[in-house]
Amino acid sequence: MSRFDSRSTSKIDQERGRFLKHLARTGLRVSRGRELIFNEVMQIHGHFTAEQLTKKCQKKNLKVSRPTVFRILHDLLAAGVIRETAFGDKHRHFEHVYDEKPHHHAFCIYCHGFIEFPDMKEDMVYHSIIEKKGFKILGHEMHFYGMCRKCQEKAA
Amino acid sequence: MSRFDSRSTSKIDQERGRFLKHLARTGLRVSRGRELIFNEVMQIHGHFTAEQLTKKCQKKNLKVSRPTVFRILHDLLAAGVIRETAFGDKHRHFEHVYDEKPHHHAFCIYCHGFIEFPDMKEDMVYHSIIEKKGFKILGHEMHFYGMCRKCQEKAA
DNA sequence: TCATATAATGATACACTATCTCATATGAGT
DNA sequence: ACTCATATGAGATAGTGTATCATTATATGA
Ligand SMILES: [Zn+2]
Ligand SMILES: [Zn+2]
Ligand SMILES: [Zn+2]
Ligand SMILES: [Zn+2]
C-alpha cells in the first residue's frame, strides 16, 4: 500500500480501533498474536480459511500456531472485523469487512467455485416476516446454486 | 399415516417414482438399503443429519451402516428427492422436498437454532445480474443471521 | 436351477478440520 | 523484581465424512 493512500489507511485504522475497543471491553490483551493476525487479515482481499492464513504467516516466518489462529479469528468475529460465510464444505471461510462491499455468492455445484454479486437491498420483504417472529436480524446472505460458465462450456 | 390419506400417499409415491426413475436411468438397483432409507427419510419432517438418520434406523432395529447412509443420501440428492442446506456447522443437513414449501432460514448466532420462513420470490432482481455472468441458476437460499426470541429474553 | 457378473453393503481404516488440555511463556501492574 | 492473570503452542482429542476392500446380495442368462 502506498504511504499516500491515506483513505485506505484510515479505514484500516478504523477497523483496528473497532478491534482494540472490543479487546478493552472484554478484558483481552493486545498481544503479539492479535496484532500479527489482524495485520495479515487486513491484507487479504476476498475469502480465506484458517489454514490459508496460517500458511501465509508461516511463509513470512511469523510463527503462530493453528489454535491461536482460530482463537484470534474468533475474537475478530466477535469484534465485527471479519465475517464468516458457510460455503457448504468442511472449512470455515472468513473475510474482512472493511473494504468489501456487502455482497452475496453463487456457488457452482460442479467445480465448487463461486462468483460474487452485490447486495441489492431488495430482500427487505423478508425482514418484517422474520421480525414478527421475534427474531432480531443482524445480517443476511443470499446463496445461489447452479452451474458456472466454465462448467457449462465443459459440458457442451 | 391413515390409509385414507390418499393425497399424502400419492405425493410420496410421486417422490418414489422420481427416485426409481433416477435409479433406472443411472443403472442402480432398488436395494434393501435404498428402500429402507427412502421410507425413513420420507417420514422425517424438517431437517436431519446423516447421524440422526442412522440413529433413527438403529432404534427401529433397521440395520444400516454410516457409509451406506451417506451413499444413499447422495443418491437421493442426485434424484432431487432431498436437498442440502449449509447451516454453517460441521454437519451436512438434509430435508426432503415433497411436502416442504420452498423456504429459507434465519440462524441464531447464540444458540445455533433457526427459524424458517417462506420463499417470497422477491429476489429475482439478482437473477439477471448473475445470469449475465454466464452462471446458470438452479436454486437459491437466503440465510439471515441474528438473535432468536429466546436468546433476546435471556439477555434482557 | 445354476453359474457368472455386477452392484450393494459393512467393518475398518483413514483423512481432515477444528477444538481441548495443559504446561510454559508473556506481560501488565504493583 | 514479584505476582498473577492471560496468551500461546505442542500435542492429544473429537467428530465428520470418505475410501478400501472383502463379503453379501441381486440380476442376468445359459
Ligand atoms: Zn463450475
Ligand atoms: Zn465474498
Ligand atoms: Zn437463540
Ligand atoms: Zn428448512
Side-chain angles (χ1 to χ4, degrees):
Chain A
M1 181 196 314
S2 160
R3 64 195 145 128
F4 300 108
D5 189 354
S6 62
R7 181 157 159 273
S8 177
T9 300
S10 73
K11 276 191 179 177
I12 292 182
D13 286 345
Q14 185 182 322
E15 291 304 303
R16 193 190 309 278
R18 188 195 308 282
F19 190 33
L20 296 177
K21 195 175 164 188
H22 168 75
L23 295 179
R25 201 165 41 208
T26 51
L28 300 172
R29 290 177 184 164
V30 185
S31 67
R32 174 187 134 272
R34 292 208 175 93
E35 290 197 279
L36 190 157
I37 295 291
F38 175 86
N39 289 329
E40 290 307 310
V41 164
M42 282 303 135
Q43 288 171 31
I44 299 175
H45 293 271
H47 294 268
F48 62 92
T49 65
E51 183 67 14
Q52 291 167 345
L53 179 55
T54 305
K55 282 187 178 169
K56 188 169 182 286
C57 290
Q58 286 172 348
K59 275 189 181 175
K60 290 186 172 184
N61 284 336
L62 304 172
K63 288 191 180 169
V64 66
S65 67
R66 193 173 50 214
T68 294
V69 169
F70 276 104
R71 278 188 287 245
I72 296 177
L73 286 176
H74 183 270
D75 296 336
L76 290 169
L77 276 173
V81 173
I82 62 176
R83 66 172 182 154
E84 182 173 5
T85 300
F87 274 31
D89 61 7
K90 62 177 62 172
H91 300 76
R92 299 182 66 178
H93 295 259
F94 308 92
E95 67 184 334
H96 65 221
V97 171
Y98 88 92
D99 72 349
E100 299 288 344
K101 299 268 192 306
H103 65 275
H104 306 296
H105 306 88
F107 300 94
C108 177
I109 60 177
Y110 296 94
C111 70
H112 301 104
F114 65 91
I115 62 174
E116 301 189 334
F117 53 92
D119 180 41
M120 300 295 280
K121 312 281 182 204
E122 294 294 336
D123 24 46
M124 295 310 162
V125 279
Y126 290 109
H127 277 61
S128 63
I129 298 169
I130 294 169
E131 286 174 346
K132 268 182 192 162
K133 300 190 181 194
F135 193 96
K136 186 182 172 189
I137 296 171
L138 297 174
H140 74 278
E141 293 172 359
M142 294 230 40
H143 289 205
F144 281 85
Y145 298 95
M147 201 172 185
C148 77
R149 186 198 299 270
K150 282 184 184 174
C151 287
Q152 287 176 66
E153 288 167 357
K154 215 175 282 178
Chain B
M1 181 196 311
S2 159
R3 64 195 147 129
F4 299 109
D5 189 354
S6 63
R7 181 157 160 272
S8 177
T9 301
S10 72
K11 275 191 180 177
I12 291 182
D13 285 344
Q14 185 182 322
E15 291 304 303
R16 192 190 310 276
R18 188 195 309 281
F19 189 33
L20 295 178
K21 195 174 164 189
H22 168 75
L23 295 179
R25 201 165 41 208
T26 51
L28 300 172
R29 291 176 183 166
V30 184
S31 66
R32 173 186 134 272
R34 292 207 174 93
E35 291 197 277
L36 190 158
I37 295 291
F38 175 86
N39 288 330
E40 290 307 310
V41 164
M42 283 301 135
Q43 288 171 31
I44 299 175
H45 292 272
H47 294 268
F48 62 92
T49 65
E51 182 68 14
Q52 291 167 346
L53 179 54
T54 305
K55 283 187 179 170
K56 188 169 181 289
C57 291
Q58 287 172 346
K59 274 189 183 175
K60 290 187 173 185
N61 284 336
L62 305 171
K63 288 189 179 171
V64 66
S65 67
R66 193 173 53 209
T68 294
V69 169
F70 276 103
R71 278 188 287 244
I72 296 177
L73 286 176
H74 183 270
D75 296 335
L76 291 169
L77 276 173
V81 173
I82 61 176
R83 65 170 183 156
E84 182 173 5
T85 301
F87 275 30
D89 61 8
K90 61 178 63 172
H91 299 77
R92 300 182 65 178
H93 294 260
F94 308 92
E95 67 184 333
H96 64 221
V97 171
Y98 88 92
D99 70 351
E100 300 286 344
K101 299 268 193 306
H103 65 275
H104 305 296
H105 306 88
F107 300 95
C108 178
I109 59 178
Y110 297 93
C111 69
H112 301 105
F114 66 92
I115 61 174
E116 301 189 334
F117 52 92
D119 179 41
M120 301 294 281
K121 312 280 183 207
E122 294 293 337
D123 23 45
M124 296 310 163
V125 279
Y126 291 108
H127 276 62
S128 63
I129 299 169
I130 294 170
E131 286 174 346
K132 268 182 192 163
K133 301 192 181 193
F135 193 97
K136 185 182 174 190
I137 297 171
L138 296 174
H140 74 278
E141 295 173 358
M142 294 231 39
H143 289 204
F144 281 85
Y145 298 95
M147 200 173 185
C148 76
R149 186 199 297 273
K150 283 185 183 174
C151 286
Q152 287 177 65
E153 289 168 354
K154 217 175 279 179

